[in-house]
Tab-separated table of all heavy atoms in Angstrom:
chain	number	residue	atom	x	y	z
A	387	MET	N	-23.695	4.772	-22.751
A	387	MET	CA	-24.271	3.869	-23.662
A	387	MET	C	-23.788	4.014	-25.144
A	387	MET	O	-23.548	3.129	-25.821
A	387	MET	CB	-25.774	3.971	-23.663
A	387	MET	CG	-26.363	3.652	-22.240
A	387	MET	SD	-28.210	3.986	-22.011
A	387	MET	CE	-28.875	2.664	-23.015
A	388	ALA	N	-23.595	5.361	-25.501
A	388	ALA	CA	-23.025	5.554	-26.778
A	388	ALA	C	-21.679	5.058	-26.948
A	388	ALA	O	-21.276	4.358	-28.057
A	388	ALA	CB	-23.082	7.114	-27.123
A	389	ASP	N	-20.870	5.176	-26.001
A	389	ASP	CA	-19.445	4.610	-26.033
A	389	ASP	C	-19.387	3.191	-26.122
A	389	ASP	O	-18.488	2.674	-26.780
A	389	ASP	CB	-18.638	5.082	-24.739
A	389	ASP	CG	-18.289	6.640	-24.796
A	389	ASP	OD1	-18.422	7.209	-25.924
A	389	ASP	OD2	-17.667	7.087	-23.763
A	390	VAL	N	-20.393	2.425	-25.587
A	390	VAL	CA	-20.394	1.034	-25.789
A	390	VAL	C	-20.902	0.640	-27.146
A	390	VAL	O	-20.174	-0.178	-27.750
A	390	VAL	CB	-21.336	0.348	-24.688
A	390	VAL	CG1	-21.539	-1.160	-24.951
A	390	VAL	CG2	-20.822	0.626	-23.167
A	391	LYS	N	-21.913	1.359	-27.632
A	391	LYS	CA	-22.357	0.978	-28.994
A	391	LYS	C	-21.278	1.281	-30.081
A	391	LYS	O	-21.333	0.745	-30.980
A	391	LYS	CB	-23.649	1.873	-29.303
A	391	LYS	CG	-24.895	1.340	-28.385
A	391	LYS	CD	-26.094	2.089	-28.606
A	391	LYS	CE	-27.167	1.578	-27.734
A	391	LYS	NZ	-28.394	2.451	-27.762
A	392	SER	N	-20.487	2.384	-29.830
A	392	SER	CA	-19.437	2.641	-30.776
A	392	SER	C	-18.311	1.848	-30.649
A	392	SER	O	-17.309	1.796	-31.492
A	392	SER	CB	-19.049	4.080	-30.635
A	392	SER	OG	-18.280	4.271	-29.490
A	393	GLY	N	-18.089	1.000	-29.536
A	393	GLY	CA	-16.936	0.212	-29.440
A	393	GLY	C	-15.830	0.829	-28.524
A	393	GLY	O	-14.899	0.166	-28.342
A	394	LYS	N	-16.058	2.176	-28.182
A	394	LYS	CA	-15.083	2.784	-27.355
A	394	LYS	C	-14.895	2.022	-25.950
A	394	LYS	O	-13.943	1.948	-25.271
A	394	LYS	CB	-15.444	4.183	-27.139
A	394	LYS	CG	-14.454	5.069	-26.457
A	394	LYS	CD	-14.826	6.485	-26.445
A	394	LYS	CE	-13.904	7.347	-25.577
A	394	LYS	NZ	-14.365	8.662	-25.375
A	395	LEU	N	-16.109	1.532	-25.487
A	395	LEU	CA	-16.092	0.794	-24.285
A	395	LEU	C	-16.693	-0.527	-24.592
A	395	LEU	O	-17.584	-0.612	-25.539
A	395	LEU	CB	-17.066	1.337	-23.251
A	395	LEU	CG	-16.768	2.658	-22.465
A	395	LEU	CD1	-17.793	3.127	-21.657
A	395	LEU	CD2	-15.557	2.292	-21.533
A	396	LYS	N	-16.049	-1.615	-24.076
A	396	LYS	CA	-16.436	-3.021	-24.270
A	396	LYS	C	-17.022	-3.653	-23.027
A	396	LYS	O	-16.604	-3.273	-22.029
A	396	LYS	CB	-15.220	-3.780	-24.904
A	396	LYS	CG	-14.739	-3.265	-26.206
A	396	LYS	CD	-13.492	-3.985	-26.665
A	396	LYS	CE	-13.004	-3.404	-28.052
A	396	LYS	NZ	-13.191	-2.061	-28.331
A	397	PRO	N	-17.861	-4.696	-23.190
A	397	PRO	CA	-18.334	-5.434	-22.104
A	397	PRO	C	-17.100	-5.804	-21.222
A	397	PRO	O	-16.156	-6.287	-21.661
A	397	PRO	CB	-19.040	-6.635	-22.577
A	397	PRO	CG	-19.445	-6.095	-24.071
A	397	PRO	CD	-18.366	-5.287	-24.488
A	398	GLY	N	-17.245	-5.625	-19.912
A	398	GLY	CA	-16.229	-6.041	-19.062
A	398	GLY	C	-15.284	-4.797	-18.705
A	398	GLY	O	-14.485	-4.941	-17.760
A	399	ASP	N	-15.312	-3.872	-19.463
A	399	ASP	CA	-14.478	-2.657	-19.281
A	399	ASP	C	-14.966	-1.883	-17.957
A	399	ASP	O	-16.106	-1.818	-17.669
A	399	ASP	CB	-14.490	-1.539	-20.392
A	399	ASP	CG	-13.711	-1.961	-21.561
A	399	ASP	OD1	-12.901	-2.997	-21.562
A	399	ASP	OD2	-13.708	-1.237	-22.605
A	400	ARG	N	-13.860	-1.379	-17.187
A	400	ARG	CA	-14.229	-0.636	-15.984
A	400	ARG	C	-14.509	0.779	-16.321
A	400	ARG	O	-13.650	1.453	-17.065
A	400	ARG	CB	-13.049	-0.793	-14.935
A	400	ARG	CG	-13.296	-0.178	-13.763
A	400	ARG	CD	-12.087	-0.556	-12.735
A	400	ARG	NE	-12.364	0.227	-11.607
A	400	ARG	CZ	-11.327	0.433	-10.727
A	400	ARG	NH1	-10.051	-0.085	-10.980
A	400	ARG	NH2	-11.444	1.255	-9.834
A	401	LEU	N	-15.464	1.405	-15.822
A	401	LEU	CA	-15.609	2.896	-15.964
A	401	LEU	C	-14.755	3.648	-15.100
A	401	LEU	O	-14.176	3.070	-14.052
A	401	LEU	CB	-17.092	3.324	-15.575
A	401	LEU	CG	-18.156	2.645	-16.473
A	401	LEU	CD1	-19.582	3.226	-15.996
A	401	LEU	CD2	-18.059	3.009	-17.961
A	402	PRO	N	-14.489	4.873	-15.404
A	402	PRO	CA	-13.668	5.779	-14.680
A	402	PRO	C	-14.288	5.891	-13.318
A	402	PRO	O	-15.418	5.731	-13.034
A	402	PRO	CB	-13.571	7.105	-15.395
A	402	PRO	CG	-14.092	6.810	-16.778
A	402	PRO	CD	-14.979	5.659	-16.794
A	403	SER	N	-13.508	6.303	-12.357
A	403	SER	CA	-13.983	6.506	-10.917
A	403	SER	C	-15.081	7.635	-10.904
A	403	SER	O	-15.010	8.352	-11.826
A	403	SER	CB	-12.801	6.962	-9.996
A	403	SER	OG	-12.268	8.139	-10.429
A	404	VAL	N	-15.853	7.643	-9.820
A	404	VAL	CA	-16.728	8.683	-9.702
A	404	VAL	C	-16.102	10.034	-9.612
A	404	VAL	O	-16.559	11.065	-10.303
A	404	VAL	CB	-17.696	8.403	-8.375
A	404	VAL	CG1	-18.353	9.664	-8.009
A	404	VAL	CG2	-18.382	7.192	-8.592
A	405	ALA	N	-14.943	10.162	-9.020
A	405	ALA	CA	-14.126	11.385	-8.953
A	405	ALA	C	-13.744	11.869	-10.244
A	405	ALA	O	-13.748	13.065	-10.588
A	405	ALA	CB	-12.907	11.176	-8.063
A	406	GLN	N	-13.322	10.848	-11.125
A	406	GLN	CA	-12.806	11.200	-12.486
A	406	GLN	C	-14.050	11.661	-13.306
A	406	GLN	O	-14.002	12.675	-14.090
A	406	GLN	CB	-12.153	10.122	-13.131
A	406	GLN	CG	-11.725	10.280	-14.463
A	406	GLN	CD	-10.599	11.451	-14.518
A	406	GLN	OE1	-9.638	11.301	-13.799
A	406	GLN	NE2	-10.833	12.385	-15.326
A	407	THR	N	-15.120	10.995	-13.215
A	407	THR	CA	-16.382	11.317	-13.936
A	407	THR	C	-16.873	12.669	-13.475
A	407	THR	O	-17.287	13.520	-14.404
A	407	THR	CB	-17.477	10.288	-13.746
A	407	THR	OG1	-16.877	8.992	-14.197
A	407	THR	CG2	-18.656	10.506	-14.514
A	408	ARG	N	-16.902	13.032	-12.181
A	408	ARG	CA	-17.188	14.379	-11.740
A	408	ARG	C	-16.313	15.384	-12.294
A	408	ARG	O	-16.901	16.423	-12.754
A	408	ARG	CB	-17.002	14.354	-10.211
A	408	ARG	CG	-18.092	13.683	-9.384
A	408	ARG	CD	-17.961	13.798	-7.897
A	408	ARG	NE	-17.922	15.341	-7.505
A	408	ARG	CZ	-17.458	15.756	-6.427
A	408	ARG	NH1	-16.758	15.061	-5.533
A	408	ARG	NH2	-17.493	17.077	-6.197
A	409	ALA	N	-14.955	15.206	-12.338
A	409	ALA	CA	-14.086	16.094	-12.861
A	409	ALA	C	-14.359	16.322	-14.511
A	409	ALA	O	-14.524	17.441	-14.938
A	409	ALA	CB	-12.659	15.682	-12.728
A	410	ASP	N	-14.549	15.185	-15.170
A	410	ASP	CA	-14.839	15.196	-16.621
A	410	ASP	C	-16.063	16.102	-16.990
A	410	ASP	O	-16.097	16.771	-17.981
A	410	ASP	CB	-15.014	13.876	-17.206
A	410	ASP	CG	-13.627	13.106	-17.163
A	410	ASP	OD1	-12.561	13.728	-16.918
A	410	ASP	OD2	-13.717	11.845	-17.350
A	411	TYR	N	-17.088	15.871	-16.170
A	411	TYR	CA	-18.404	16.559	-16.529
A	411	TYR	C	-18.670	17.839	-15.606
A	411	TYR	O	-19.566	18.601	-15.866
A	411	TYR	CB	-19.485	15.535	-16.254
A	411	TYR	CG	-19.637	14.583	-17.357
A	411	TYR	CD1	-18.941	13.452	-17.333
A	411	TYR	CD2	-20.454	14.760	-18.601
A	411	TYR	CE1	-18.997	12.403	-18.342
A	411	TYR	CE2	-20.481	13.855	-19.501
A	411	TYR	CZ	-19.922	12.732	-19.434
A	411	TYR	OH	-19.896	11.684	-20.329
A	412	GLY	N	-17.783	18.063	-14.613
A	412	GLY	CA	-17.924	19.242	-13.807
A	412	GLY	C	-19.380	19.190	-13.002
A	412	GLY	O	-20.080	20.160	-12.880
A	413	VAL	N	-19.595	18.081	-12.422
A	413	VAL	CA	-20.900	17.798	-11.801
A	413	VAL	C	-20.630	17.281	-10.348
A	413	VAL	O	-19.457	17.015	-9.989
A	413	VAL	CB	-21.847	16.833	-12.489
A	413	VAL	CG1	-22.146	17.416	-13.826
A	413	VAL	CG2	-21.178	15.427	-12.564
A	414	SER	N	-21.687	17.145	-9.553
A	414	SER	CA	-21.547	16.723	-8.160
A	414	SER	C	-21.555	15.110	-8.024
A	414	SER	O	-21.885	14.479	-9.077
A	414	SER	CB	-22.787	17.117	-7.381
A	414	SER	OG	-23.864	16.522	-7.719
A	415	TYR	N	-21.063	14.663	-6.986
A	415	TYR	CA	-21.151	13.267	-6.656
A	415	TYR	C	-22.494	12.649	-6.857
A	415	TYR	O	-22.679	11.591	-7.447
A	415	TYR	CB	-20.689	12.953	-5.237
A	415	TYR	CG	-20.738	11.588	-4.758
A	415	TYR	CD1	-19.675	10.639	-4.991
A	415	TYR	CD2	-21.886	11.139	-4.079
A	415	TYR	CE1	-19.786	9.423	-4.585
A	415	TYR	CE2	-21.857	9.762	-3.623
A	415	TYR	CZ	-20.875	8.931	-3.930
A	415	TYR	OH	-21.011	7.701	-3.446
A	416	GLY	N	-23.586	13.419	-6.427
A	416	GLY	CA	-24.828	12.896	-6.484
A	416	GLY	C	-25.374	12.692	-8.008
A	416	GLY	O	-26.100	11.867	-8.327
A	417	THR	N	-24.893	13.584	-8.817
A	417	THR	CA	-25.216	13.536	-10.353
A	417	THR	C	-24.699	12.314	-10.874
A	417	THR	O	-25.295	11.558	-11.679
A	417	THR	CB	-24.782	14.872	-11.001
A	417	THR	OG1	-25.415	16.000	-10.457
A	417	THR	CG2	-25.103	14.677	-12.468
A	418	VAL	N	-23.440	12.099	-10.555
A	418	VAL	CA	-22.754	10.798	-10.970
A	418	VAL	C	-23.495	9.601	-10.454
A	418	VAL	O	-23.761	8.637	-11.302
A	418	VAL	CB	-21.257	10.730	-10.768
A	418	VAL	CG1	-20.636	9.391	-11.217
A	418	VAL	CG2	-20.565	11.978	-11.309
A	419	GLN	N	-23.845	9.635	-9.196
A	419	GLN	CA	-24.556	8.451	-8.715
A	419	GLN	C	-25.874	8.272	-9.432
A	419	GLN	O	-26.375	7.137	-9.636
A	419	GLN	CB	-24.805	8.647	-7.222
A	419	GLN	CG	-23.510	8.452	-6.410
A	419	GLN	CD	-22.880	7.046	-6.661
A	419	GLN	OE1	-23.505	6.002	-6.622
A	419	GLN	NE2	-21.586	7.144	-6.797
A	420	LEU	N	-26.588	9.347	-9.726
A	420	LEU	CA	-27.908	9.212	-10.544
A	420	LEU	C	-27.798	8.604	-11.826
A	420	LEU	O	-28.511	7.747	-12.250
A	420	LEU	CB	-28.603	10.548	-10.654
A	420	LEU	CG	-29.407	11.299	-9.511
A	420	LEU	CD1	-29.796	12.727	-9.753
A	420	LEU	CD2	-30.558	10.301	-9.201
A	421	ALA	N	-26.574	8.939	-12.508
A	421	ALA	CA	-26.345	8.356	-13.740
A	421	ALA	C	-26.066	6.872	-13.585
A	421	ALA	O	-26.544	6.105	-14.325
A	421	ALA	CB	-25.058	9.030	-14.335
A	422	TYR	N	-25.391	6.463	-12.586
A	422	TYR	CA	-25.075	5.068	-12.346
A	422	TYR	C	-26.411	4.291	-12.027
A	422	TYR	O	-26.459	3.088	-12.454
A	422	TYR	CB	-23.903	4.906	-11.271
A	422	TYR	CG	-22.580	5.295	-11.747
A	422	TYR	CD1	-22.305	5.663	-13.038
A	422	TYR	CD2	-21.533	5.064	-11.019
A	422	TYR	CE1	-21.051	6.002	-13.571
A	422	TYR	CE2	-20.121	5.279	-11.369
A	422	TYR	CZ	-19.972	5.744	-12.605
A	422	TYR	OH	-18.757	6.027	-13.085
A	423	VAL	N	-27.146	4.903	-11.171
A	423	VAL	CA	-28.498	4.347	-10.914
A	423	VAL	C	-29.220	4.051	-12.070
A	423	VAL	O	-29.733	2.910	-12.361
A	423	VAL	CB	-29.224	5.114	-9.905
A	423	VAL	CG1	-30.721	4.622	-9.711
A	423	VAL	CG2	-28.666	5.143	-8.441
A	424	ARG	N	-29.366	4.993	-13.070
A	424	ARG	CA	-30.052	4.721	-14.266
A	424	ARG	C	-29.452	3.650	-15.036
A	424	ARG	O	-30.066	2.798	-15.653
A	424	ARG	CB	-30.063	6.036	-15.025
A	424	ARG	CG	-30.736	6.018	-16.371
A	424	ARG	CD	-30.885	7.315	-17.085
A	424	ARG	NE	-31.519	7.313	-18.390
A	424	ARG	CZ	-32.724	7.088	-18.672
A	424	ARG	NH1	-33.633	6.788	-17.623
A	424	ARG	NH2	-33.080	6.965	-19.755
A	425	LEU	N	-28.015	3.641	-15.150
A	425	LEU	CA	-27.459	2.676	-16.043
A	425	LEU	C	-27.565	1.256	-15.422
A	425	LEU	O	-27.712	0.372	-16.099
A	425	LEU	CB	-25.895	3.122	-16.155
A	425	LEU	CG	-25.620	4.217	-17.063
A	425	LEU	CD1	-24.214	4.765	-16.891
A	425	LEU	CD2	-25.965	3.981	-18.504
A	426	GLU	N	-27.523	1.221	-14.056
A	426	GLU	CA	-27.763	-0.071	-13.365
A	426	GLU	C	-29.228	-0.512	-13.700
A	426	GLU	O	-29.388	-1.759	-13.869
A	426	GLU	CB	-27.506	0.105	-11.962
A	426	GLU	CG	-26.759	-0.990	-11.318
A	426	GLU	CD	-26.332	-0.787	-9.823
A	426	GLU	OE1	-26.651	0.322	-9.305
A	426	GLU	OE2	-25.640	-1.541	-9.374
A	427	ALA	N	-30.243	0.314	-13.686
A	427	ALA	CA	-31.506	-0.073	-13.864
A	427	ALA	C	-31.776	-0.578	-15.210
A	427	ALA	O	-32.561	-1.546	-15.470
A	427	ALA	CB	-32.569	1.028	-13.531
A	428	LEU	N	-31.032	-0.063	-16.121
A	428	LEU	CA	-31.074	-0.548	-17.585
A	428	LEU	C	-30.182	-1.689	-17.805
A	428	LEU	O	-30.112	-2.203	-18.972
A	428	LEU	CB	-30.798	0.645	-18.494
A	428	LEU	CG	-31.785	1.742	-18.616
A	428	LEU	CD1	-31.255	2.967	-19.310
A	428	LEU	CD2	-33.079	1.325	-19.009
A	429	ARG	N	-29.425	-2.054	-16.773
A	429	ARG	CA	-28.455	-3.260	-16.921
A	429	ARG	C	-27.294	-2.999	-17.783
A	429	ARG	O	-26.724	-3.868	-18.265
A	429	ARG	CB	-29.179	-4.613	-17.367
A	429	ARG	CG	-30.239	-4.946	-16.281
A	429	ARG	CD	-30.755	-6.371	-16.622
A	429	ARG	NE	-31.826	-6.610	-15.712
A	429	ARG	CZ	-32.835	-7.495	-15.953
A	429	ARG	NH1	-32.926	-8.009	-17.120
A	429	ARG	NH2	-33.794	-7.721	-15.096
A	430	VAL	N	-26.980	-1.685	-18.011
A	430	VAL	CA	-25.868	-1.360	-18.806
A	430	VAL	C	-24.483	-1.409	-18.072
A	430	VAL	O	-23.453	-1.786	-18.518
A	430	VAL	CB	-25.905	0.179	-19.240
A	430	VAL	CG1	-24.790	0.698	-20.002
A	430	VAL	CG2	-27.239	0.290	-20.129
A	431	ILE	N	-24.610	-1.330	-16.644
A	431	ILE	CA	-23.403	-1.428	-15.748
A	431	ILE	C	-23.770	-2.436	-14.668
A	431	ILE	O	-24.917	-2.736	-14.442
A	431	ILE	CB	-22.943	-0.171	-15.249
A	431	ILE	CG1	-23.990	0.541	-14.382
A	431	ILE	CG2	-22.477	0.824	-16.366
A	431	ILE	CD1	-23.463	1.666	-13.560
A	432	ARG	N	-22.700	-2.819	-14.172
A	432	ARG	CA	-22.735	-3.627	-12.759
A	432	ARG	C	-21.661	-3.086	-11.905
A	432	ARG	O	-20.492	-2.794	-12.313
A	432	ARG	CB	-22.719	-5.119	-12.986
A	432	ARG	CG	-21.472	-5.744	-13.483
A	432	ARG	CD	-21.454	-7.199	-13.774
A	432	ARG	NE	-20.287	-7.428	-14.692
A	432	ARG	CZ	-19.045	-7.515	-14.291
A	432	ARG	NH1	-18.802	-7.275	-13.085
A	432	ARG	NH2	-18.082	-7.921	-15.125
Side-chain angles (χ1 to χ4, degrees):
M387 293 171 79
D389 285 350
V390 175
K391 289 177 182 174
S392 74
K394 185 176 175 186
L395 286 172
K396 295 177 179 33
D399 282 355
R400 185 174 168 197
L401 293 183
S403 68
V404 171
Q406 182 63 53
T407 303
R408 284 182 62 198
D410 291 346
Y411 285 89
V413 297
S414 69
Y415 175 85
T417 299
V418 176
Q419 288 303 313
L420 278 173
Y422 284 3
V423 165
R424 178 172 177 75
L425 289 166
E426 220 170 8
L428 294 170
R429 298 186 185 154
V430 174
I431 62 169
R432 62 183 164 75

